[in-house]
Amino acid sequence: MRRHLPISLAATATLVAAACGSAAAEPVLPTVPFGGLAYTVNVEKPGVSDGYLYYTVGVSAAALVPGLGAVARALPGGKPANVIADRSGKPIQRYEPPVGQDVSNFRTQTYQGRKVLTWWQGSTVAGHGFGVGIIADENFNVLTTVDPGGAGADVHEFRLTPDGHALLTSYPQVDADLTAIGGPKNGKMFDTVALVMDVASGKELFRWSAAEHVPLADSQTSGKLNSDVYDPYHMNSISLDPSGNLLVSLRNTAAVYDVHPRTGDIRWQLGGKHPTLAADPGVEFAFQHDAEFTDATTLRLFNNNSDGPESRGHSSVEWINIDLAANRATLLRNQEHPEGLVSFAMGNAEALPNGNTLVCWGMAPHISEFTPTGDLVYDATLPFGTYRAYLDTLPS
């Protein structure tokens, strides 16, 4: 049973109804992105992992609901902030950005051999962000920032690598012929690029443009925004595969691409209109987030299965075996939430040291923990969804 929207939030719900549009013949409706007025623990069983939760409150720049952030700021839990909380939801530490700025993608990472706090900070632009990546100590004192210049750092990815580099997304606006997706011949769109930056020098080492490598007709949405600028690709994660290639997720093509980090060539594609890997039954996903390898042959992703106007089923976390010798992908595990959540934006999963998996359900405002056999050992509801959530010890 999905949670009902509190009466005090009924006026805000109209924004979501407008964003979700009409349903299909057998509708699977997105879960309402409001969980109540406070962090609420629904399930906590033996076997839950130790650690503190890292997430952001407020409405992320990655949320594709125009005007929702302005409404949310006036509601409990709607003010942008990075939060470290215990399992009860009690904040241990909190950072609020300057007025007019947002934060997102808050987590711990390793920088120069030490555990640090990292996050994106900036302004919101049409479902993405314009800002910088921030690296800070345990007290939120800024150690350094990563600023690619130009279109700025986007909210969706800020990942540090062991060689001192950072992986970032950016959304430059470009002129384009958009007739392939029903737009104007002389139109404007957001290209979406993967950047590899050297953190110490701030130098750009590599740039991969979706518009230069993926046909516009591969988009599975019209890409039409409220403005006259289209968003046909919408990159939302970059990670490294086991060989050091870039693994790129494009939400609006419903596909994951493995990219050579020097030539930019697409080595293989999973999902989308023109996959190069044959998918066995069950390997079905759409509008996904957070594609990462968990070991040498296993790809894990958060399958939203919904972009609001179109929902294809429940959201889930999928583990997929990638057999490059056979050019085949096989489903290993699919984890849904017991309530059948449908998240029309955001979301991630994290492997925990004890073998469990932490899942952030994005705009469906839940954070959950599952055992390897699928037992739900922790579940909490947030006032609003959060872009990603992580579990870790405190930095020192």
Side-chain angles (χ1 to χ4, degrees):
M1 181 69 67
R2 292 188 189 138
R3 297 174 63 87
H4 294 287
L5 184 63
I7 295 175
S8 60
L9 297 176
T12 310
T14 59
L15 289 170
V16 179
C20 294
S22 59
E26 296 182 2
V28 179
L29 299 178
T31 301
V32 173
F34 306 98
L37 299 179
Y39 189 107
T40 303
V41 177
N42 309 310
V43 175
E44 188 165 16
K45 297 180 179 179
V48 70
S49 301
D50 294 330
Y52 295 89
L53 292 161
Y54 292 73
Y55 66 99
T56 53
V57 296
V59 176
S60 170
L64 297 169
V65 184
L68 182 58
V71 173
R73 281 179 169 84
L75 299 171
K79 192 173 182 180
N82 295 331
V83 173
I84 305 174
D86 65 17
R87 285 288 192 168
S88 72
K90 177 183 176 182
I92 304 301
Q93 290 181 273
R94 181 184 177 96
Y95 165 84
E96 294 184 3
V99 175
Q101 293 195 348
D102 297 318
V103 290
S104 195
N105 205 6
F106 176 51
R107 64 186 298 186
T108 61
Q109 297 197 72
T110 300
Y111 173 65
Q112 296 182 339
R114 64 185 288 195
K115 184 183 292 187
V116 293
L117 304 176
T118 69
W119 67 92
W120 170 88
Q121 184 167 310
S123 57
T124 299
V125 184
H128 66 275
F130 178 88
V132 299
I134 293 180
I135 302 174
D137 68 13
E138 66 275 13
N139 297 312
F140 291 97
N141 297 312
V142 176
L143 301 173
T144 190
T145 61
V146 182
D147 182 357
D154 164 57
V155 61
H156 287 92
E157 191 64 86
F158 179 46
R159 188 184 300 265
L160 302 181
T161 63
D163 54 4
H165 299 163
L167 310 180
L168 300 99
T169 47
S170 186
Y171 280 61
Q173 181 177 310
V174 298
D175 297 328
D177 179 350
L178 300 172
T179 54
I181 54 173
K185 183 174 181 62
N186 299 310
K188 296 182 182 298
M189 74 173 190
F190 291 114
D191 187 6
T192 181
V193 301
L195 299 174
V196 181
M197 305 283 297
D198 180 71
V199 176
S201 67
K203 180 181 178 182
E204 179 183 302
L205 303 176
F206 179 73
R207 169 182 289 254
W208 186 82
S209 159
E212 293 175 3
H213 293 88
V214 180
L216 195 61
D218 280 10
S219 182
Q220 298 205 26
T221 75
S222 69
K224 186 70 173 74
L225 301 174
N226 284 354
S227 66
D228 292 328
V229 183
Y230 284 63
D231 183 16
Y233 297 114
H234 204 83
M235 186 183 300
N236 57 30
S237 76
I238 316 166
S239 60
L240 298 179
D241 78 2
S243 299
N245 301 296
L246 299 182
L247 190 71
V248 175
S249 168
L250 298 186
R251 167 197 168 103
N252 285 354
T253 66
V256 176
Y257 306 82
D258 195 72
V259 174
H260 193 286
R262 290 183 296 279
T263 67
D265 294 339
I266 296 174
R267 300 176 64 250
W268 52 262
Q269 175 182 331
L270 178 65
K273 294 181 179 179
H274 300 101
T276 62
L277 299 183
D280 286 341
V283 182
E284 299 176 357
F285 57 88
F287 314 113
Q288 74 291 333
H289 285 70
D290 190 36
E292 302 183 48
F293 272 89
T294 62
D295 59 37
T297 59
T298 304
L299 170 66
R300 185 196 65 223
L301 56 80
F302 182 81
N303 174 25
N304 293 77
N305 238 0
S306 172
D307 71 343
E310 178 184 359
S311 294
R312 303 181 184 181
H314 295 156
S315 298
S316 67
V317 180
E318 292 187 11
W319 287 260
I320 302 166
N321 175 261
I322 303 297
D323 185 345
L324 294 180
N327 282 326
R328 182 164 293 280
T330 304
L331 184 68
L332 300 175
R333 177 183 170 194
N334 185 66
Q335 180 68 63
E336 295 186 6
H337 191 281
E339 294 184 17
L341 301 180
V342 180
S343 176
F344 64 85
M346 312 192 299
N348 79 301
E350 178 191 20
L352 301 177
N354 66 352
N356 290 357
T357 302
L358 187 80
V359 183
C360 162
W361 296 91
M363 290 297 290
H366 284 252
I367 296 174
S368 309
E369 183 178 342
F370 296 90
T371 68
T373 57
D375 185 26
L376 179 68
V377 293
Y378 180 84
D379 185 66
T381 309
L382 288 68
F384 297 96
T386 187
Y387 176 57
R388 291 175 176 173
Y390 296 92
L391 186 75
D392 201 358
T393 58
L394 295 175
S396 58

